[in-house]
Amino acid sequence: MTSEQKEINRIGVLTSGGDSPGMNAAIRAVVRSCVFNEITPYGIYEGYDGLINNNIQKMNAGSVKHIIYQGGTILKSARSQAFKTEEGMEKAWKNVEKHELDAMVVIGGDGTFKGAMKFGDKYDFPIVGIPGTIDNDIYGTDFTVGFDTAVNTVVEAVDKIRDTATSHSRLFFIEVMGRDAGFIAMYSGIAAGAEEVLIPEKDRDIERLFESLERTSRRQKTSRLVIVAEGDTNGSVYELENQVQERFGDRYETKVTILGHVQRGGRPSCADRVLASRLGVLSVEALMEGRRNAMVGVRNRKVKFTDFDQATKRNPQMDEELMRVADIISI
Ligand code: F6P
């Protein structure tokens, strides 16, 4: 700590944006790490809305007991529109002052970090972020908290769809989450042996899907699964189904499944619990060391801090090798 750095006695913690499995494990680690370091933790409920509406409560080690295995977030979450306004930020700052918070840990995705960056700059307030989103779409970390659980949920569901698809020799279009990123689609596609994966990062035109359907129909595959990230540029799963019906209606019986919010819930996997616990402890230590305006992540098994500015501006790259692997094993 440098001489100008303010001592950290109180830290607020919030979850914001879409919830993800493992957020509770992260909250628990932040709170316990605060207590361990004789810092008073404050839970801010309903994301930035809670900061604006003074929905803030002191926590202790007991407030986070038995939550490590629970999905969702005990602090609740919100996609706050009010926090994007000057008025909302001013109200939020008054509550920071009221509770004498010295710093804050925010758990969420891109939107959460954008809000933190603006607020932290405006009021010269130290904030550290933990990447928590099922989409895995944050630059600066190999994995975000929640991705592993979500992708396992998807694989379990897709395996079940495979059973019925095979029994009826059907072609399924399965939509998975991922507005701007295809990580859930790519990982689950490889793991569940999907015949085709469509993701926003790779602008694959519909002809490629037609070619693949032509190839597989010649080889009389008993079932076909096409996993489509919701942000894919070829249109919705229903539009895709229509196009395939027009061309291959005589050869394929098609069905559509949209997995939806089931992907966001459930008990966090071991990997998510460990990642969340690690990042929770590190976020508090980072604030104590004077770090601010940055996200803590793990890259190549090493702790890595990425400025909010970079974490929100840059997109994580889909691994070309993964796409190649998916193509090879789905012939
Ligand atoms: O950001 C995570 C995510 O689950 C996206 O994959 C999805 O597009 C979005 O949230 C859905 O958000 P909401 O629950 O607010 O509709």
Side-chain angles (χ1 to χ4, degrees):
M1 196 167 68
T2 62
S3 51
E4 311 94 74
Q5 255 170 245
K6 217 175 141 225
E7 205 183 319
I8 306 271
N9 293 314
R10 296 171 175 215
I11 291 181
V13 55
L14 61 79
T15 48
S16 150
D19 62 339
S20 70
M23 278 186 163
N24 277 330
I27 296 165
R28 175 177 179 269
V30 169
V31 169
R32 295 259 162 109
S33 179
C34 281
V35 175
F36 180 85
N37 290 294
E38 295 177 357
I39 292 168
T40 310
Y42 283 76
I44 301 159
Y45 290 79
E46 295 178 342
Y48 292 122
D49 280 348
L51 202 57
I52 294 170
N53 302 325
N54 196 23
N55 196 354
I56 302 170
Q57 273 168 37
K58 201 191 269 191
M59 297 179 95
N60 56 46
S63 348
V64 290
K65 70 176 181 224
H66 308 321
I67 65 166
I68 196 164
Y69 57 82
Q70 288 174 26
T73 158
I74 59 158
L75 291 178
K76 300 179 143 290
S77 193
R79 298 190 193 276
S80 177
Q81 293 309 314
F83 196 66
K84 292 182 182 156
T85 66
E86 291 293 317
E87 199 194 342
M89 284 220 177
E90 275 164 29
K91 281 190 186 160
W93 180 245
K94 290 220 167 77
N95 289 321
V96 167
E97 289 184 317
K98 189 170 182 170
H99 293 277
E100 296 177 41
L101 300 181
D102 301 307
M104 193 159 72
V105 175
V106 296
I107 307 166
D110 193 64
T112 306
F113 298 158
K114 280 188 183 140
M117 186 164 63
K118 210 164 158 205
F119 192 69
D121 280 348
K122 189 169 160 74
Y123 297 104
D124 191 22
F125 182 56
I127 307 178
V128 165
I130 296 177
T133 162
I134 65 164
D135 289 357
N136 206 39
D137 60 347
I138 304 290
Y139 175 83
T141 189
D142 290 336
F143 295 107
T144 56
V145 172
F147 171 69
D148 184 69
T149 309
V151 90
N152 275 293
T153 301
V154 172
V155 170
E156 198 183 329
V158 175
D159 286 349
K160 288 176 177 161
I161 294 173
R162 175 73 77 183
D163 290 342
T164 175
T166 308
S167 303
H168 290 267
S169 303
R170 284 172 171 162
L171 161 62
F172 270 80
F173 291 95
I174 304 163
E175 185 192 279
V176 299
M177 278 188 168
R179 256 188 309 221
D180 311 305
F183 289 96
I184 297 180
M186 185 53 73
Y187 274 71
S188 63
I190 291 175
E195 274 64 29
E196 193 69 45
V197 180
L198 299 177
I199 55 172
E201 292 88 338
K202 193 92 186 163
D203 221 351
R204 294 184 155 175
D205 65 47
I206 193 90
E207 284 303 324
R208 209 193 106 96
L209 174 65
F210 290 161
E211 277 164 30
S212 144
L213 291 176
E214 193 70 63
R215 260 200 328 269
T216 51
S217 102
R218 277 198 220 105
R219 283 199 287 112
Q220 293 298 301
K221 280 203 179 199
T222 51
S223 62
R224 290 143 196 101
L225 305 182
V226 179
I227 300 202
V228 187
E230 64 178 334
D232 180 59
T233 48
N234 283 300
S236 76
V237 265
Y238 291 108
E239 283 159 11
L240 281 170
E241 186 194 29
N242 281 341
Q243 295 196 52
V244 168
Q245 270 303 325
E246 273 171 28
R247 187 134 159 195
F248 296 93
D250 54 334
R251 276 182 274 173
Y252 288 104
E253 189 187 347
T254 56
K255 292 279 172 187
V256 165
T257 301
I258 296 179
L259 291 181
H261 285 79
V262 71
Q263 296 163 90
R264 285 244 292 263
R267 292 163 76 110
S269 66
C270 172
D272 275 330
R273 294 183 203 192
V274 173
L275 178 66
S277 301
R278 200 173 168 192
L279 299 183
V281 168
L282 288 165
S283 63
V284 171
E285 289 174 353
L287 286 168
M288 290 168 67
E289 284 159 14
R291 201 174 281 271
R292 49 170 64 208
N293 237 331
M295 176 198 91
V296 57
V298 174
R299 288 202 67 176
N300 299 324
R301 303 176 70 188
K302 296 225 161 44
V303 178
K304 182 167 188 310
F305 289 92
T306 306
D307 287 346
F308 283 146
D309 179 43
Q310 290 296 304
T312 54
K313 248 193 230 139
R314 300 172 69 169
N315 288 325
Q317 295 299 304
M318 174 65 66
D319 195 336
E320 287 284 336
E321 194 207 330
L322 274 184
M323 294 194 261
R324 203 172 64 80
V325 166
D327 283 347
I328 291 172
I329 61 174
S330 63
I331 53 162

